[in-house]
Structure formats: structure tokens, C-alpha cells
Amino acid sequence: MQSLTPDKTARVLGAGALRPLTAAPVLTVSAPPFAHAGSSVRSLMLTSIAALAPAAIMAAVAYGLPAVRVMALCGATAIITETLCERLMGRQSSADDYHCLYVGLVLAFLLPAAAPWWLAVMGAASSIVLGKMIFGGLGGSPLSPALVGWAVCRLSWPEAMDAEFSMLASELISPLHHLKFFGPEAVDGITSVQLLLGRQLGGLGASQLWAVSAGGLLLLALGRVRWEIPLAFLTGLVATTGIYWLSDPASHASPLFHLLAGSAIFVAFFAATDEPSSPSRVLPMLLFGLLAGALTAVIRIYGIYPDGAPFAVLLANLFTPMLARIRPKPFGAR
């Protein structure tokens, strides 16, 4: 890129050429072809889907066909819905960039394995229509699309979204559900190792915690997501629940319990890092993550829902435009 002053521009264009209207430097760019960064939406989405693969395999092993059914329904519905929306809008289909498939899979990991087929279909369709296409498609969503679909299902069909209610045949319990309604004594016997190994009811992402954690670390290692939001999210959750726990250990669970129970780790790596709905610079990303983590703790302690992580990220998404105004820098500045 080369900049020319007004006088130099006039000399280049000739004496009779029109002069610029302002005294600001004129910017010109070189002719194409331009250098490519080497990444595309498709490659980024394939990397994210590959990071979900260990948890998907473990969910299929643990729950069998019901888990496979939920993932297949969410993924297929998301692809079909986006294709239909783009056809109605007169656009060329972009389903082959796999973003809609990734949105559907993230939603599936927030649903219990026993979720009815219509719940998975409604959730995935809501994610694409209300969370993505209504804002113009990829890049325009102010909210994480998968969490929009989850919120629609959670508010509209709470019993179907309750893993403990829909999986009565299981011997496992939902630790956050017991903490919310029966107090810390009800979860005294649950160890951190049990939680890490997924011995808990919840969405597929909560019940396959170690595999989800491995996938999240893979995303960090490959540079698919930056460390600021996941680390700040988990720090905000641990710090806030730690304050409550230190102030009254008899009434609140430990920070480690809140970290390992529910969908906090899955949401930190796979939902809170949604690029269009989250900040893109270091300080705003750290504040965004801390806010979402603290809100997760507050919702768990005071709210009516046992696991507030998805709701917390949706609320934090609303602060993204304000956070993006903190110490902005022009494109390319260091």
C-alpha cells in the first residue's frame, strides 16, 4: 500500500488533472492477485468439528443411538434450514462451508441424549433462522446462534430440556440440579474425578467433560480459538463462586465443583468463542470472558436455572459492541 500527498498526486496525474478535494493523503493499493492468509471458513469449521469428534465418539459409546440421533438431527436440520433460507433469499447456498453443521453440533452438545426428535429439530431450526439468517448470515449474528436455539428450547420446553427428568432410567444425577434444589449437602458425595470423567447427567458436552476439555485444548494448540475468552470465562466463574464459597462454605459449593459440573467448560471453548458475537482484541476479550464467567456463577446461585452458562454468554454477547469500543485500534495497527 502506498500513500501520495495531494501535490504528488497532481504531478502524477498531470497538470490538467483534478486535484483531491481534501488535503488528506490519498491511499492506493496494488493490483491483484493478493496474498492469501491460508485459512477459510471451511477449514476453520472443519477444525472445530474435528475438536468435537472425541466428545462425540464418547457420547455415542456412553449413550448409544440416542446420542447419535440427537447429533444427526441437529446437524441435518441446521444444514437443511440454512439451505432453504438461502433459497428463499435468492442466495447461493453456503452450507458447504460447514458453519451451519458446526452450529447444529454445538446445540446438540447442549441437549440431553434423551431429547425428543422434535426438540432437536426445533432447536437447530431456531439456531439457524433466529440466530444466524435473520441477521443476514455468517458474520452478522450479535448472539451465538447455537445458544439462541438452546434458549428457545430451554424457555419453551423446560421439562424436555431437563436431563434428569428425561433420563429417569439413568442412575446418574445432575449435580447442578441437586445443588440448586437440595443444597450443598446433596452433592457432598460427588468427587471431582467423577465429574471430570463425566459421571453426571446433562447435555452431551457436560457428560463427556474430559473429551470436551481435550477438544478445547486442541483448538488452542491449533490457534483456532484464542486463549483470552476461555481462560477469562473459567477464571470469572472460579473467582465469583470462590468468593461465595469462602464467605459461607455451608451454603455454597466449591469453585472446583462449579468448574467441573454442567456445561461451563464446553461453553467456554465452543460457544463463548463464537467470532461474530464476541470481541476480537485482548482487553475486550478478557473482559467479555470475565463477565460471562461471573454471570454464570450469579445465575447458578440466584437464578431459577441450575446451569446458567449458556444464558450468561448470551447476556455477555449484548455487551460486545460496548466492549469493542475500549481502546480501539485501526486495522493493521500494533
Side-chain angles (χ1 to χ4, degrees), residues 123-172:
S126 300
S127 295
I128 297 300
V129 175
L130 301 178
K132 181 179 178 182
M133 300 310 297
I134 199 172
F135 298 107
L138 178 62
S141 310
L143 305 172
S144 175
L147 299 187
V148 171
W150 177 90
V152 170
C153 294
R154 194 72 181 87
L155 296 174
S156 303
W157 303 285
E159 292 186 350
M161 289 288 287
D162 189 336
E164 198 162 73
F165 180 81
S166 59
M167 301 179 69
L168 293 174
S170 175
E171 296 180 354
L172 301 177

Side-chain angles (χ1 to χ4, degrees), residues 92-108:
Q92 185 178 0
S93 175
S94 60
D96 59 351
D97 65 11
Y98 301 117
H99 179 262
C100 54
L101 175 60
Y102 178 68
V103 170
L105 290 177
V106 171
L107 172 67

Side-chain angles (χ1 to χ4, degrees), residues 1 29-40 331:
M1 182 177 295
V29 296
S30 61
F34 304 106
H36 195 277
S39 61
S40 62
F331 178 75

Side-chain angles (χ1 to χ4, degrees), residues 6-60:
D7 293 338
K8 186 178 291 185
T9 303
R11 288 197 298 272
V12 172
L13 296 177
L18 296 176
R19 296 175 65 84
L21 296 178
T22 67
V26 177
L27 300 179
T28 59
V29 296
S30 61
F34 304 106
H36 195 277
S39 61
S40 62
V41 174
R42 176 184 292 186
S43 63
L44 295 176
M45 291 302 111
L46 286 176
T47 303
S48 299
I49 293 172
L52 284 174
I57 295 172
M58 293 306 301

